[in-house]
Each structure stands twice: as structure tokens, then as C-alpha cells.
Amino acid sequence: MKIPEIIKNRRSIRSFLDKELPEEISKTLIEAACLAPSAGNLQPWEFIILKEEETKKKLVEAAYGQEFISEAKIVIVVCANPNSSAARYGTRGSSLYCLQDTAAAVQNILLTATDNGLGGCWVGAFDEKKASEALKLPREIRPVAIIPIGYPKTIPPSRPRRGYSEVVHLETW
Ligand SMILES: Cc1cc2nc3c(=O)[nH]c(=O)nc-3n(C[C@H](O)[C@H](O)[C@H](O)COP(=O)(O)O)c2cc1C
């Protein structure tokens, strides 16, 4: 048994080359995102793809000054629609499933970017209200992750992980 190389090679990339991305990349990344599992196959995700400097700057501000966001050629903001999950699953849908579903979509984007020689970073530290305003999101839509994407300038070493014996509880906790 082995871990796929792409999972081992993915890193959070926070510096990007000033190099244009292939035209079709955002379509490929979104199609990969949409292959993620979702509760009841409801697919409660929405994606904002943005390239304009002005919008990136607003996201940097919403993300407490994380400047590398504006270095990226494209930024994908993965959003969740809690209402769509709530309609079938109630509070569990709106407070849990829609976030789990979109998180799986985020990981698909990051792995697909890596597989295409690109890099990205899951940025979750941001002011939701500011990000929603910058992106003109409808009131019910929640921004879940900001993902700046580009060709990596530097690829950092892998960060330490808790080991198997630290995280596994056999049979019960
Ligand atoms: C929910 C979540 C929120 C994160 N938010 C940020 C963030 O706001 N800024 C940032 O630079 N990295 C952020 N990260 C990336 C983590 O710092 C990173 O995944 C972790 O340090 C492990 O490094 P690796 O992704 O290179 O393996 C976030 C990751 C997750 C899953």
C-alpha cells in the first residue's frame, strides 16, 4: 500500500512567480472541485474566480494582510450554500455537511493544482463579512476558503505531522 505522490508532494504555497497560468486552468480546478463527495450529493458549493488586482487587494485586507494572496495569478474563493444542505438535513446540513463538502472541494483544488505544477494555499483566516462584501456574495452564501493559485516561487519543506500512534485510538478512545 502506498500514499499517492501528489498527496505527499502538496505544500501550502505562499510565494508565486510572475508567470501566466494556462487558459484552461481555472476550469480544470473547478471541475476537480466538483468531483468531491458531498452529503446527499447536494454539492452545496459555489466558486468565485478572480484575477483583478483591486479585488485581490480587498481579500488581502479581509485576510488580515496576508499579502501573498495578491501575488497569485488567480484566486478561487470556495463558498458554501448552507440553505441547500439545510433543506434536506436541517441544522446538521447547514452547520456541518456544507462545510465538510466544501472542504473536500478545496482539497481537490489543491491536489489538482499540485498535479499541474502549480501551488496554492488554503487561506481560512479572514473576516467573513469583509470577504463577502468584497465579493458581493448573496447574504446566505458563506465564503469558506480563499485559495491563491500560481506557479510556486519556492516550495517549502513538508511540515511535521502527528504520527500514526499519536492519532489512532484502537476500538475506543
Ligand atoms: C482550515 C485551514 C485554514 C488555513 N488558513 C491559513 C491561512 O489563513 N493562512 C495561511 O498562510 N495558511 C493557512 N492554512 C494552511 C496551513 O497553515 C497549512 O496547511 C499547514 O501549516 C500545513 O502545511 P502544508 O499545507 O504545507 O502541509 C490553513 C489551512 C487550513 C486547513
Side-chain angles (χ1 to χ4, degrees):
M1 302 298 287
K2 66 183 180 63
I3 301 169
E5 289 302 311
I6 210 67
I7 291 180
K8 289 199 267 184
N9 292 339
R10 186 208 55 79
R11 301 280 186 280
S12 288
I13 301 298
R14 300 182 180 87
S15 64
F16 302 99
L17 297 176
D18 186 13
K19 180 179 168 188
E20 289 307 321
L21 304 185
E23 187 68 35
E24 70 283 7
I25 192 66
S26 41
K27 189 156 186 281
T28 305
L29 294 174
I30 299 305
E31 285 174 351
C34 293
L35 291 173
S38 62
N41 199 27
L42 288 180
Q43 307 166 55
W45 41 61
E46 305 283 340
F47 306 92
I48 313 277
I49 301 170
L50 63 103
K51 297 177 182 170
E52 285 180 15
E53 290 307 322
E54 201 186 319
T55 325
K56 287 187 213 167
K57 288 267 175 275
K58 286 183 188 167
L59 287 184
V60 168
E61 203 190 312
Y64 312 108
Q66 299 191 68
E67 287 289 344
F68 65 90
I69 294 171
S70 61
E71 254 187 54
K73 287 289 169 198
I74 63 165
V75 179
I76 297 177
V77 182
V78 181
C79 304
N81 182 346
N83 289 355
S84 118
S85 302
R88 191 176 311 173
Y89 296 114
T91 308
R92 196 162 174 82
S94 58
S95 66
L96 184 64
Y97 291 165
C98 73
L99 301 176
Q100 292 177 322
D101 300 340
T102 45
V106 171
Q107 180 73 339
N108 276 9
I109 290 174
L110 294 174
L111 292 177
T112 305
T114 307
D115 202 35
N116 284 280
L118 299 167
C121 183
W122 183 327
V123 174
F126 59 86
D127 180 314
E128 270 197 48
K129 193 164 175 284
K130 281 191 181 164
S132 300
E133 277 168 13
L135 301 168
K136 300 186 168 61
L137 299 185
R139 193 199 293 263
E140 71 276 14
I141 300 296
R142 279 189 78 180
V144 172
I146 297 172
I147 316 178
I149 291 174
Y151 286 104
K153 194 185 276 176
T154 50
I155 300 178
S158 68
R159 301 207 60 202
R161 291 300 197 264
R162 297 167 65 206
Y164 178 87
S165 59
E166 283 178 279
V167 298
V168 171
H169 309 263
L170 292 174
E171 309 297 342
T172 59
W173 188 289

